[in-house]
């Protein structure tokens, strides 16, 4: 059942790829996800799974990773540039907030999307004792940074 949900989510990302195909970026060309700055909470750890240029959408890349949130972990506020983002909770519970939207809590099997340019002001593991893990999929302009922290928010 989980495999079908993941496959369905990936199908949704593939379908929406055309929507991001016209997006241009003038950001520096880097694909490495930067390490978060030191905070009073532990931070997340991304583990890249796959990065593949989209053969039918020139200049776009598909990237997937598992993001591990130890107990009580919180990501710094951040953006994903002009990438379209799909997130699926593999394990645990995550609280998330995009600028201008209400705080949402997602449990295992929950998922959401982030439109290009969205400001992700809160991402945190709600548990003090259990890990949380996300499958995160990006459709981005080839060479763009996938995550840029915004610690001033």
């Amino acid at each position: 059942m989980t495999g079908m949900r993941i496959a369905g989510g990936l199908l949704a990302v593939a379908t929406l790829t055309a929507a991001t195909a016209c997006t241009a970026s003038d950001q520096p060309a880097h694909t490495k996800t930067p390490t978060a700055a030191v905070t009073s909470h532990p931070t997340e750890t991304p583990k890249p799974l796959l990065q593949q240029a989209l053969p039918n959408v020139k200049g776009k890349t598909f990237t997937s990773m598992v993001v591990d949130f130890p107990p009580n972990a919180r990501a710094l506020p951040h953006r994903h540039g002009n990438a379209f983002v799909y997130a699926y909770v593999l394990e645990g519970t995550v609280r998330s907030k995009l600028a201008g939207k209400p705080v949402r809590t997602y449990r295992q099997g929950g998922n959401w999307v982030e439109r290009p340019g969205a400001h992700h002001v809160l991402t945190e593991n709600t548990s003090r004792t259990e890990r949380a893990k996300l499958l995160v999929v990006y459709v981005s302009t080839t060479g763009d940074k996938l995550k840029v922290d915004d610690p001033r928010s």
Side-chain angles (χ1 to χ4, degrees):
M1 185 68 152
T2 299
M4 290 180 65
R5 286 184 181 167
I6 292 171
L10 294 177
L11 180 58
V13 168
T15 302
L16 293 170
T17 297
T20 62
C22 297
T23 304
S25 174
D26 54 4
Q27 295 181 5
H30 301 292
T31 57
K32 185 176 177 184
T33 302
T35 304
V38 176
T39 64
S40 60
H41 292 269
T43 60
E44 79 280 17
T45 303
K47 178 185 173 190
L49 297 174
L50 173 72
Q51 188 168 49
Q52 170 88 36
L54 293 173
N56 59 339
V57 185
K58 185 177 179 168
K60 294 294 178 179
T61 298
F62 172 96
T63 304
S64 62
M65 63 180 62
V66 172
V67 181
D68 181 38
F69 286 83
N72 207 37
R74 179 181 299 165
L76 288 173
H78 60 275
R79 298 177 190 271
H80 298 289
N82 287 318
F84 176 84
V85 180
Y86 170 77
Y88 178 90
V89 182
L90 296 168
E91 168 182 331
T93 303
V94 174
R95 191 176 349 228
S96 176
K97 178 176 175 27
L98 299 176
K101 305 285 184 184
V103 173
R104 300 273 318 257
T105 300
Y106 299 93
R107 291 170 178 69
Q108 185 176 6
N111 60 89
W112 70 90
V113 296
E114 297 177 32
R115 298 188 58 77
H119 189 199
H120 205 149
V121 296
L122 174 69
T123 316
E124 66 182 356
N125 180 351
T126 62
S127 176
R128 296 187 189 279
T129 60
E130 303 294 325
R131 302 187 94 66
K133 289 186 180 182
L134 301 175
L135 170 66
V136 182
V137 176
Y138 304 86
V139 177
S140 63
T141 300
T142 302
D144 278 0
K145 288 184 177 182
L146 296 178
K147 180 177 180 247
V148 177
D149 288 332
D150 181 16
R152 294 168 292 163
S153 295

